[in-house]
PDB file of all heavy atoms in Angstrom:
ATOM      1  N   PRO A 172     131.904 128.886 157.848  1.00 44.00           N
ATOM      2  CA  PRO A 172     132.055 128.187 159.114  1.00 44.00           C
ATOM      3  C   PRO A 172     131.522 129.026 160.277  1.00 44.00           C
ATOM      4  O   PRO A 172     131.613 130.244 160.263  1.00 44.00           O
ATOM      5  CB  PRO A 172     133.550 127.958 159.250  1.00 44.00           C
ATOM      6  CG  PRO A 172     134.201 128.731 158.175  1.00 44.00           C
ATOM      7  CD  PRO A 172     133.160 129.210 157.231  1.00 44.00           C
ATOM      8  N   LEU A 173     130.973 128.350 161.260  1.00 45.00           N
ATOM      9  CA  LEU A 173     130.409 128.999 162.435  1.00 45.00           C
ATOM     10  C   LEU A 173     131.431 129.877 163.130  1.00 45.00           C
ATOM     11  O   LEU A 173     131.123 130.971 163.556  1.00 45.00           O
ATOM     12  CB  LEU A 173     129.897 127.932 163.415  1.00 45.00           C
ATOM     13  CG  LEU A 173     129.364 128.421 164.749  1.00 45.00           C
ATOM     14  CD1 LEU A 173     128.136 129.281 164.525  1.00 45.00           C
ATOM     15  CD2 LEU A 173     129.039 127.238 165.634  1.00 45.00           C
ATOM     16  N   ALA A 174     132.649 129.423 163.250  1.00 41.00           N
ATOM     17  CA  ALA A 174     133.648 130.137 164.031  1.00 41.00           C
ATOM     18  C   ALA A 174     134.334 131.266 163.269  1.00 41.00           C
ATOM     19  O   ALA A 174     135.120 131.994 163.829  1.00 41.00           O
ATOM     20  CB  ALA A 174     134.703 129.167 164.540  1.00 41.00           C
ATOM     21  N   ALA A 175     134.028 131.451 162.012  1.00 46.00           N
ATOM     22  CA  ALA A 175     134.743 132.438 161.209  1.00 46.00           C
ATOM     23  C   ALA A 175     134.679 133.840 161.807  1.00 46.00           C
ATOM     24  O   ALA A 175     135.621 134.590 161.700  1.00 46.00           O
ATOM     25  CB  ALA A 175     134.213 132.449 159.786  1.00 46.00           C
ATOM     26  N   ALA A 176     133.576 134.195 162.447  1.00 48.00           N
ATOM     27  CA  ALA A 176     133.429 135.543 162.983  1.00 48.00           C
ATOM     28  C   ALA A 176     133.596 135.587 164.497  1.00 48.00           C
ATOM     29  O   ALA A 176     133.317 136.590 165.119  1.00 48.00           O
ATOM     30  CB  ALA A 176     132.069 136.098 162.591  1.00 48.00           C
ATOM     31  N   GLN A 177     134.029 134.510 165.087  1.00 60.00           N
ATOM     32  CA  GLN A 177     134.148 134.441 166.535  1.00 60.00           C
ATOM     33  C   GLN A 177     135.509 134.919 167.009  1.00 60.00           C
ATOM     34  O   GLN A 177     136.511 134.724 166.337  1.00 60.00           O
ATOM     35  CB  GLN A 177     133.967 132.999 167.025  1.00 60.00           C
ATOM     36  CG  GLN A 177     132.608 132.429 166.758  1.00 60.00           C
ATOM     37  CD  GLN A 177     132.504 130.997 167.271  1.00 60.00           C
ATOM     38  OE1 GLN A 177     133.497 130.303 167.410  1.00 60.00           O
ATOM     39  NE2 GLN A 177     131.296 130.571 167.547  1.00 60.00           N
ATOM     40  N   PRO A 178     135.550 135.524 168.211  1.00 68.00           N
ATOM     41  CA  PRO A 178     136.855 135.840 168.811  1.00 68.00           C
ATOM     42  C   PRO A 178     137.608 134.540 169.124  1.00 68.00           C
ATOM     43  O   PRO A 178     137.010 133.474 169.211  1.00 68.00           O
ATOM     44  CB  PRO A 178     136.493 136.570 170.100  1.00 68.00           C
ATOM     45  CG  PRO A 178     135.039 136.856 170.054  1.00 68.00           C
ATOM     46  CD  PRO A 178     134.439 135.964 168.999  1.00 68.00           C
ATOM     47  N   ALA A 179     138.917 134.649 169.324  1.00 75.00           N
ATOM     48  CA  ALA A 179     139.750 133.466 169.584  1.00 75.00           C
ATOM     49  C   ALA A 179     139.240 132.652 170.765  1.00 75.00           C
ATOM     50  O   ALA A 179     139.255 131.428 170.724  1.00 75.00           O
ATOM     51  CB  ALA A 179     141.200 133.877 169.813  1.00 75.00           C
ATOM     52  N   SER A 180     138.755 133.323 171.835  1.00 86.00           N
ATOM     53  CA  SER A 180     138.277 132.575 173.007  1.00 86.00           C
ATOM     54  C   SER A 180     137.044 131.746 172.665  1.00 86.00           C
ATOM     55  O   SER A 180     136.886 130.630 173.153  1.00 86.00           O
ATOM     56  CB  SER A 180     137.989 133.516 174.175  1.00 86.00           C
ATOM     57  OG  SER A 180     136.973 134.445 173.820  1.00 86.00           O
ATOM     58  N   ASP A 181     136.159 132.271 171.804  1.00 89.00           N
ATOM     59  CA  ASP A 181     134.980 131.507 171.394  1.00 89.00           C
ATOM     60  C   ASP A 181     135.377 130.362 170.468  1.00 89.00           C
ATOM     61  O   ASP A 181     134.817 129.271 170.539  1.00 89.00           O
ATOM     62  CB  ASP A 181     133.963 132.410 170.692  1.00 89.00           C
ATOM     63  CG  ASP A 181     133.309 133.407 171.644  1.00 89.00           C
ATOM     64  OD1 ASP A 181     133.352 133.194 172.878  1.00 89.00           O
ATOM     65  OD2 ASP A 181     132.757 134.408 171.148  1.00 89.00           O
ATOM     66  N   THR A 182     136.345 130.629 169.602  1.00 91.00           N
ATOM     67  CA  THR A 182     136.838 129.575 168.713  1.00 91.00           C
ATOM     68  C   THR A 182     137.466 128.457 169.542  1.00 91.00           C
ATOM     69  O   THR A 182     137.212 127.279 169.307  1.00 91.00           O
ATOM     70  CB  THR A 182     137.868 130.135 167.708  1.00 91.00           C
ATOM     71  OG1 THR A 182     137.228 131.137 166.915  1.00 91.00           O
ATOM     72  CG2 THR A 182     138.408 129.043 166.805  1.00 91.00           C
ATOM     73  N   TYR A 183     138.273 128.843 170.541  1.00 92.00           N
ATOM     74  CA  TYR A 183     138.861 127.835 171.423  1.00 92.00           C
ATOM     75  C   TYR A 183     137.769 126.985 172.068  1.00 92.00           C
ATOM     76  O   TYR A 183     137.850 125.761 172.075  1.00 92.00           O
ATOM     77  CB  TYR A 183     139.726 128.472 172.518  1.00 92.00           C
ATOM     78  CG  TYR A 183     140.039 127.470 173.603  1.00 92.00           C
ATOM     79  CD1 TYR A 183     141.061 126.546 173.421  1.00 92.00           C
ATOM     80  CD2 TYR A 183     139.262 127.386 174.757  1.00 92.00           C
ATOM     81  CE1 TYR A 183     141.315 125.577 174.378  1.00 92.00           C
ATOM     82  CE2 TYR A 183     139.513 126.425 175.708  1.00 92.00           C
ATOM     83  CZ  TYR A 183     140.535 125.514 175.520  1.00 92.00           C
ATOM     84  OH  TYR A 183     140.776 124.553 176.452  1.00 92.00           O
ATOM     85  N   LYS A 184     136.752 127.617 172.627  1.00 93.00           N
ATOM     86  CA  LYS A 184     135.680 126.881 173.297  1.00 93.00           C
ATOM     87  C   LYS A 184     134.982 125.937 172.332  1.00 93.00           C
ATOM     88  O   LYS A 184     134.693 124.796 172.677  1.00 93.00           O
ATOM     89  CB  LYS A 184     134.668 127.829 173.930  1.00 93.00           C
ATOM     90  CG  LYS A 184     133.591 127.076 174.694  1.00 93.00           C
ATOM     91  CD  LYS A 184     132.597 127.989 175.357  1.00 93.00           C
ATOM     92  CE  LYS A 184     131.515 127.283 176.132  1.00 93.00           C
ATOM     93  NZ  LYS A 184     131.143 125.957 175.740  1.00 93.00           N
ATOM     94  N   SER A 185     134.716 126.388 171.109  1.00 94.00           N
ATOM     95  CA  SER A 185     134.067 125.523 170.120  1.00 94.00           C
ATOM     96  C   SER A 185     134.942 124.330 169.763  1.00 94.00           C
ATOM     97  O   SER A 185     134.457 123.203 169.647  1.00 94.00           O
ATOM     98  CB  SER A 185     133.717 126.323 168.859  1.00 94.00           C
ATOM     99  OG  SER A 185     132.718 127.276 169.134  1.00 94.00           O
ATOM    100  N   VAL A 186     136.245 124.558 169.585  1.00 94.00           N
ATOM    101  CA  VAL A 186     137.167 123.453 169.277  1.00 94.00           C
ATOM    102  C   VAL A 186     137.246 122.493 170.459  1.00 94.00           C
ATOM    103  O   VAL A 186     137.195 121.274 170.287  1.00 94.00           O
ATOM    104  CB  VAL A 186     138.567 123.982 168.894  1.00 94.00           C
ATOM    105  CG1 VAL A 186     139.587 122.845 168.822  1.00 94.00           C
ATOM    106  CG2 VAL A 186     138.510 124.720 167.562  1.00 94.00           C
ATOM    107  N   TYR A 187     137.345 123.042 171.662  1.00 94.00           N
ATOM    108  CA  TYR A 187     137.420 122.182 172.848  1.00 94.00           C
ATOM    109  C   TYR A 187     136.139 121.372 173.006  1.00 94.00           C
ATOM    110  O   TYR A 187     136.194 120.170 173.281  1.00 94.00           O
ATOM    111  CB  TYR A 187     137.682 123.028 174.095  1.00 94.00           C
ATOM    112  CG  TYR A 187     137.815 122.188 175.345  1.00 94.00           C
ATOM    113  CD1 TYR A 187     138.926 121.361 175.520  1.00 94.00           C
ATOM    114  CD2 TYR A 187     136.840 122.202 176.333  1.00 94.00           C
ATOM    115  CE1 TYR A 187     139.067 120.579 176.651  1.00 94.00           C
ATOM    116  CE2 TYR A 187     136.971 121.420 177.468  1.00 94.00           C
ATOM    117  CZ  TYR A 187     138.079 120.611 177.625  1.00 94.00           C
ATOM    118  OH  TYR A 187     138.209 119.828 178.747  1.00 94.00           O
ATOM    119  N   ASP A 188     134.983 122.007 172.821  1.00 96.00           N
ATOM    120  CA  ASP A 188     133.719 121.262 172.908  1.00 96.00           C
ATOM    121  C   ASP A 188     133.650 120.201 171.819  1.00 96.00           C
ATOM    122  O   ASP A 188     133.178 119.088 172.058  1.00 96.00           O
ATOM    123  CB  ASP A 188     132.530 122.211 172.824  1.00 96.00           C
ATOM    124  CG  ASP A 188     132.346 123.042 174.083  1.00 96.00           C
ATOM    125  OD1 ASP A 188     132.977 122.726 175.126  1.00 96.00           O
ATOM    126  OD2 ASP A 188     131.578 124.026 174.030  1.00 96.00           O
ATOM    127  N   GLY A 189     134.142 120.534 170.615  1.00 95.00           N
ATOM    128  CA  GLY A 189     134.191 119.542 169.543  1.00 95.00           C
ATOM    129  C   GLY A 189     135.074 118.363 169.911  1.00 95.00           C
ATOM    130  O   GLY A 189     134.749 117.207 169.631  1.00 95.00           O
ATOM    131  N   TRP A 190     136.204 118.655 170.558  1.00 95.00           N
ATOM    132  CA  TRP A 190     137.097 117.585 171.019  1.00 95.00           C
ATOM    133  C   TRP A 190     136.356 116.688 172.020  1.00 95.00           C
ATOM    134  O   TRP A 190     136.467 115.456 171.955  1.00 95.00           O
ATOM    135  CB  TRP A 190     138.343 118.195 171.658  1.00 95.00           C
ATOM    136  CG  TRP A 190     139.260 117.185 172.265  1.00 95.00           C
ATOM    137  CD1 TRP A 190     140.253 116.493 171.629  1.00 95.00           C
ATOM    138  CD2 TRP A 190     139.266 116.734 173.626  1.00 95.00           C
ATOM    139  NE1 TRP A 190     140.878 115.644 172.511  1.00 95.00           N
ATOM    140  CE2 TRP A 190     140.287 115.771 173.750  1.00 95.00           C
ATOM    141  CE3 TRP A 190     138.499 117.051 174.738  1.00 95.00           C
ATOM    142  CZ2 TRP A 190     140.557 115.123 174.942  1.00 95.00           C
ATOM    143  CZ3 TRP A 190     138.766 116.409 175.927  1.00 95.00           C
ATOM    144  CH2 TRP A 190     139.789 115.453 176.018  1.00 95.00           C
ATOM    145  N   LYS A 191     135.602 117.302 172.922  1.00 95.00           N
ATOM    146  CA  LYS A 191     134.856 116.508 173.908  1.00 95.00           C
ATOM    147  C   LYS A 191     133.816 115.626 173.224  1.00 95.00           C
ATOM    148  O   LYS A 191     133.721 114.432 173.542  1.00 95.00           O
ATOM    149  CB  LYS A 191     134.195 117.408 174.945  1.00 95.00           C
ATOM    150  CG  LYS A 191     135.194 118.057 175.884  1.00 95.00           C
ATOM    151  CD  LYS A 191     134.548 118.757 177.055  1.00 95.00           C
ATOM    152  CE  LYS A 191     133.800 119.985 176.662  1.00 95.00           C
ATOM    153  NZ  LYS A 191     133.283 120.753 177.805  1.00 95.00           N
ATOM    154  N   TRP A 192     133.033 116.184 172.274  1.00 96.00           N
ATOM    155  CA  TRP A 192     132.049 115.360 171.556  1.00 96.00           C
ATOM    156  C   TRP A 192     132.756 114.263 170.767  1.00 96.00           C
ATOM    157  O   TRP A 192     132.247 113.142 170.673  1.00 96.00           O
ATOM    158  CB  TRP A 192     131.195 116.224 170.625  1.00 96.00           C
ATOM    159  CG  TRP A 192     130.273 117.138 171.353  1.00 96.00           C
ATOM    160  CD1 TRP A 192     130.246 118.501 171.277  1.00 96.00           C
ATOM    161  CD2 TRP A 192     129.262 116.773 172.294  1.00 96.00           C
ATOM    162  NE1 TRP A 192     129.278 118.990 172.111  1.00 96.00           N
ATOM    163  CE2 TRP A 192     128.653 117.954 172.747  1.00 96.00           C
ATOM    164  CE3 TRP A 192     128.805 115.556 172.806  1.00 96.00           C
ATOM    165  CZ2 TRP A 192     127.619 117.956 173.669  1.00 96.00           C
ATOM    166  CZ3 TRP A 192     127.777 115.558 173.728  1.00 96.00           C
ATOM    167  CH2 TRP A 192     127.194 116.744 174.152  1.00 96.00           C
ATOM    168  N   TRP A 193     133.884 114.602 170.181  1.00 94.00           N
ATOM    169  CA  TRP A 193     134.670 113.620 169.426  1.00 94.00           C
ATOM    170  C   TRP A 193     134.960 112.398 170.300  1.00 94.00           C
ATOM    171  O   TRP A 193     134.824 111.262 169.871  1.00 94.00           O
ATOM    172  CB  TRP A 193     135.978 114.261 168.955  1.00 94.00           C
ATOM    173  CG  TRP A 193     136.858 113.297 168.228  1.00 94.00           C
ATOM    174  CD1 TRP A 193     137.854 112.520 168.742  1.00 94.00           C
ATOM    175  CD2 TRP A 193     136.787 112.992 166.846  1.00 94.00           C
ATOM    176  NE1 TRP A 193     138.413 111.749 167.763  1.00 94.00           N
ATOM    177  CE2 TRP A 193     137.773 112.020 166.586  1.00 94.00           C
ATOM    178  CE3 TRP A 193     135.983 113.445 165.793  1.00 94.00           C
ATOM    179  CZ2 TRP A 193     137.977 111.501 165.317  1.00 94.00           C
ATOM    180  CZ3 TRP A 193     136.194 112.932 164.534  1.00 94.00           C
ATOM    181  CH2 TRP A 193     137.181 111.964 164.301  1.00 94.00           C
ATOM    182  N   HIS A 194     135.356 112.655 171.536  1.00 93.00           N
ATOM    183  CA  HIS A 194     135.734 111.552 172.431  1.00 93.00           C
ATOM    184  C   HIS A 194     134.543 110.817 173.022  1.00 93.00           C
ATOM    185  O   HIS A 194     134.722 109.770 173.638  1.00 93.00           O
ATOM    186  CB  HIS A 194     136.703 112.056 173.499  1.00 93.00           C
ATOM    187  CG  HIS A 194     138.067 112.231 172.927  1.00 93.00           C
ATOM    188  ND1 HIS A 194     138.969 111.211 172.805  1.00 93.00           N
ATOM    189  CD2 HIS A 194     138.664 113.300 172.365  1.00 93.00           C
ATOM    190  CE1 HIS A 194     140.054 111.636 172.211  1.00 93.00           C
ATOM    191  NE2 HIS A 194     139.884 112.910 171.930  1.00 93.00           N
ATOM    192  N   VAL A 195     133.363 111.324 172.817  1.00 95.00           N
ATOM    193  CA  VAL A 195     132.161 110.588 173.211  1.00 95.00           C
ATOM    194  C   VAL A 195     131.697 109.715 172.046  1.00 95.00           C
ATOM    195  O   VAL A 195     131.340 108.562 172.242  1.00 95.00           O
ATOM    196  CB  VAL A 195     131.036 111.560 173.643  1.00 95.00           C
ATOM    197  CG1 VAL A 195     129.722 110.807 173.850  1.00 95.00           C
ATOM    198  CG2 VAL A 195     131.420 112.307 174.905  1.00 95.00           C
ATOM    199  N   TYR A 196     131.716 110.263 170.833  1.00 94.00           N
ATOM    200  CA  TYR A 196     131.086 109.587 169.705  1.00 94.00           C
ATOM    201  C   TYR A 196     131.997 109.096 168.587  1.00 94.00           C
ATOM    202  O   TYR A 196     131.637 108.164 167.896  1.00 94.00           O
ATOM    203  CB  TYR A 196     130.039 110.514 169.072  1.00 94.00           C
ATOM    204  CG  TYR A 196     128.908 110.844 170.003  1.00 94.00           C
ATOM    205  CD1 TYR A 196     128.822 112.088 170.619  1.00 94.00           C
ATOM    206  CD2 TYR A 196     127.925 109.904 170.282  1.00 94.00           C
ATOM    207  CE1 TYR A 196     127.779 112.391 171.485  1.00 94.00           C
ATOM    208  CE2 TYR A 196     126.883 110.193 171.144  1.00 94.00           C
ATOM    209  CZ  TYR A 196     126.819 111.439 171.741  1.00 94.00           C
ATOM    210  OH  TYR A 196     125.792 111.725 172.592  1.00 94.00           O
ATOM    211  N   CYS A 197     133.120 109.712 168.348  1.00 93.00           N
ATOM    212  CA  CYS A 197     133.854 109.488 167.097  1.00 93.00           C
ATOM    213  C   CYS A 197     135.153 108.697 167.190  1.00 93.00           C
ATOM    214  O   CYS A 197     135.543 108.032 166.239  1.00 93.00           O
ATOM    215  CB  CYS A 197     134.190 110.823 166.455  1.00 93.00           C
ATOM    216  SG  CYS A 197     132.811 111.944 166.315  1.00 93.00           S
ATOM    217  N   TYR A 198     135.862 108.832 168.292  1.00 90.00           N
ATOM    218  CA  TYR A 198     137.230 108.315 168.350  1.00 90.00           C
ATOM    219  C   TYR A 198     137.316 106.804 168.178  1.00 90.00           C
ATOM    220  O   TYR A 198     138.323 106.295 167.695  1.00 90.00           O
ATOM    221  CB  TYR A 198     137.918 108.725 169.647  1.00 90.00           C
ATOM    222  CG  TYR A 198     137.659 107.797 170.802  1.00 90.00           C
ATOM    223  CD1 TYR A 198     138.528 106.750 171.083  1.00 90.00           C
ATOM    224  CD2 TYR A 198     136.522 107.944 171.589  1.00 90.00           C
ATOM    225  CE1 TYR A 198     138.288 105.887 172.133  1.00 90.00           C
ATOM    226  CE2 TYR A 198     136.274 107.087 172.631  1.00 90.00           C
ATOM    227  CZ  TYR A 198     137.143 106.052 172.900  1.00 90.00           C
ATOM    228  OH  TYR A 198     136.897 105.190 173.927  1.00 90.00           O
ATOM    229  N   ARG A 199     136.282 106.076 168.557  1.00 92.00           N
ATOM    230  CA  ARG A 199     136.356 104.617 168.468  1.00 92.00           C
ATOM    231  C   ARG A 199     136.639 104.144 167.050  1.00 92.00           C
ATOM    232  O   ARG A 199     137.342 103.164 166.847  1.00 92.00           O
ATOM    233  CB  ARG A 199     135.069 103.989 168.991  1.00 92.00           C
ATOM    234  CG  ARG A 199     134.936 104.052 170.481  1.00 92.00           C
ATOM    235  CD  ARG A 199     133.531 103.585 170.922  1.00 92.00           C
ATOM    236  NE  ARG A 199     133.261 103.909 172.297  1.00 92.00           N
ATOM    237  CZ  ARG A 199     132.797 105.088 172.723  1.00 92.00           C
ATOM    238  NH1 ARG A 199     132.557 106.050 171.871  1.00 92.00           N
ATOM    239  NH2 ARG A 199     132.575 105.298 173.992  1.00 92.00           N
ATOM    240  N   CYS A 200     136.069 104.854 166.078  1.00 92.00           N
ATOM    241  CA  CYS A 200     136.291 104.467 164.686  1.00 92.00           C
ATOM    242  C   CYS A 200     137.363 105.306 163.997  1.00 92.00           C
ATOM    243  O   CYS A 200     138.137 104.782 163.211  1.00 92.00           O
ATOM    244  CB  CYS A 200     134.990 104.569 163.894  1.00 92.00           C
ATOM    245  SG  CYS A 200     133.770 103.353 164.407  1.00 92.00           S
ATOM    246  N   HIS A 201     137.388 106.604 164.287  1.00 92.00           N
ATOM    247  CA  HIS A 201     138.302 107.513 163.584  1.00 92.00           C
ATOM    248  C   HIS A 201     139.596 107.789 164.333  1.00 92.00           C
ATOM    249  O   HIS A 201     140.434 108.527 163.829  1.00 92.00           O
ATOM    250  CB  HIS A 201     137.600 108.833 163.279  1.00 92.00           C
ATOM    251  CG  HIS A 201     136.575 108.701 162.206  1.00 92.00           C
ATOM    252  ND1 HIS A 201     136.893 108.639 160.877  1.00 92.00           N
ATOM    253  CD2 HIS A 201     135.228 108.599 162.285  1.00 92.00           C
ATOM    254  CE1 HIS A 201     135.790 108.518 160.178  1.00 92.00           C
ATOM    255  NE2 HIS A 201     134.765 108.486 161.000  1.00 92.00           N
ATOM    256  N   GLY A 202     139.754 107.211 165.499  1.00 90.00           N
ATOM    257  CA  GLY A 202     140.985 107.387 166.246  1.00 90.00           C
ATOM    258  C   GLY A 202     140.939 108.574 167.195  1.00 90.00           C
ATOM    259  O   GLY A 202     140.174 109.518 167.007  1.00 90.00           O
ATOM    260  N   VAL A 203     141.770 108.514 168.214  1.00 89.00           N
ATOM    261  CA  VAL A 203     141.792 109.522 169.267  1.00 89.00           C
ATOM    262  C   VAL A 203     142.042 110.916 168.701  1.00 89.00           C
ATOM    263  O   VAL A 203     141.418 111.884 169.105  1.00 89.00           O
ATOM    264  CB  VAL A 203     142.842 109.166 170.335  1.00 89.00           C
ATOM    265  CG1 VAL A 203     143.019 110.290 171.335  1.00 89.00           C
ATOM    266  CG2 VAL A 203     142.454 107.880 171.049  1.00 89.00           C
ATOM    267  N   ASP A 204     142.933 111.061 167.756  1.00 89.00           N
ATOM    268  CA  ASP A 204     143.284 112.363 167.202  1.00 89.00           C
ATOM    269  C   ASP A 204     142.787 112.533 165.770  1.00 89.00           C
ATOM    270  O   ASP A 204     143.335 113.327 165.004  1.00 89.00           O
ATOM    271  CB  ASP A 204     144.796 112.571 167.277  1.00 89.00           C
ATOM    272  CG  ASP A 204     145.285 112.681 168.714  1.00 89.00           C
ATOM    273  OD1 ASP A 204     144.665 113.422 169.490  1.00 89.00           O
ATOM    274  OD2 ASP A 204     146.283 112.010 169.054  1.00 89.00           O
ATOM    275  N   ALA A 205     141.746 111.797 165.391  1.00 89.00           N
ATOM    276  CA  ALA A 205     141.098 111.880 164.078  1.00 89.00           C
ATOM    277  C   ALA A 205     141.978 111.385 162.938  1.00 89.00           C
ATOM    278  O   ALA A 205     141.748 111.736 161.783  1.00 89.00           O
ATOM    279  CB  ALA A 205     140.598 113.299 163.807  1.00 89.00           C
TER     280      ALA A 205
END
Side-chain angles (χ1 to χ4, degrees):
L173 176 64
Q177 296 180 336
S180 61
D181 291 341
T182 299
Y183 166 81
K184 183 179 180 333
S185 293
V186 170
Y187 182 69
D188 288 347
W190 175 87
K191 290 190 291 186
W192 291 120
W193 177 267
H194 284 276
V195 171
Y196 296 104
C197 310
Y198 86 93
R199 287 172 193 84
C200 292
H201 288 282
V203 172
D204 293 313

